[in-house]
Amino acid sequence: TEERARLDISARGLWGPFQKTMFDVRIFHPNADTYKNRDIKSVYSQHENVKKRDYEQRVIQVEKCSFTPHVYSTSGGMAPQAQAFHKRIAELIAERTNEEYRDVISIMRTKLSFALLKSVLVSVRGSRGKSSHKREIPISEISFNLIPDGLTGDFTFS
């Protein structure tokens, strides 16, 4: 990657006191034709590995900090390193605010779900700014696929 490439987020004190960590975010649609015949875990792993290949070595050597890729799907799922990030942030917030961890992580996941949903809607509908041309898509042609086929019942997040 380019030496002057910029990452999306940086933070201090997440993984260790005063340790700087940089993050880069990727959001993908798991029901796209590209991923149709692939296991979701392998797709998350692929995206994490691409981010690591593109940024990790430079971040460690040039920036002298750690790197954590953030990979999310439009259906609300997240890759293992993004899950570890959310758990750690929730632990830190719960500790500093004297809140229950389960309440903090629940609020974080709810906000993330709405943020992902908003990004999907903006990509489908477009932004609210002026458009040079408007293309109407019938609602019947839009595939939201927020819950993959075959999944029903109660879901718990670890």
Side-chain angles (χ1 to χ4, degrees):
T1 187
E2 232 182 89
E3 269 206 35
R4 298 176 59 87
R6 296 177 57 151
L7 289 107
D8 297 323
I9 306 164
S10 72
R12 285 197 187 275
L14 179 68
W15 303 120
F18 307 108
Q19 179 186 358
K20 185 176 181 181
T21 305
M22 298 188 96
F23 309 93
D24 201 67
V25 178
R26 174 172 289 178
I27 300 172
F28 72 96
H29 185 57
N31 296 321
D33 290 339
T34 308
Y35 311 120
K36 223 172 205 153
N37 297 320
R38 293 190 50 201
D39 177 50
I40 191 70
K41 288 181 180 181
S42 71
V43 176
Y44 282 123
S45 180
Q46 172 198 349
H47 286 296
E48 278 187 336
N49 291 335
V50 167
K51 288 289 183 187
K52 286 180 188 177
R53 185 187 68 229
D54 290 348
Y55 296 109
E56 189 170 47
Q57 187 175 2
R58 181 185 65 85
V59 167
I60 291 170
Q61 292 177 350
V62 176
E63 306 289 342
K64 307 289 188 227
C65 58
S66 63
F67 174 72
T68 303
H70 280 235
V71 178
Y72 302 96
S73 71
T74 55
S75 61
M78 57 184 96
Q81 291 195 351
Q83 288 178 358
F85 165 81
H86 282 266
K87 288 178 182 180
R88 180 68 179 144
I89 289 287
E91 288 171 4
L92 293 171
I93 291 171
E95 182 180 304
R96 290 185 182 156
T97 61
N98 291 324
E99 297 286 337
E100 291 289 328
Y101 170 82
R102 67 177 184 265
D103 296 334
V104 174
I105 196 76
S106 176
I107 290 169
M108 287 176 57
R109 286 181 175 142
T110 300
K111 287 185 176 215
L112 176 64
S113 294
F114 277 103
L116 289 170
L117 182 59
K118 182 178 177 182
S119 73
V120 170
L121 291 175
V122 168
S123 69
V124 168
R125 180 181 53 96
S127 67
R128 293 186 181 259
K130 292 183 180 179
S131 175
S132 59
H133 66 282
K134 291 186 177 183
R135 180 177 163 238
E136 290 189 22
I137 300 172
I139 194 76
S140 61
E141 291 182 23
I142 298 173
S143 172
F144 293 100
N145 289 330
L146 296 178
I147 299 175
D149 291 339
L151 293 180
T152 59
D154 296 329
F155 294 96
T156 56
F157 296 96
S158 55

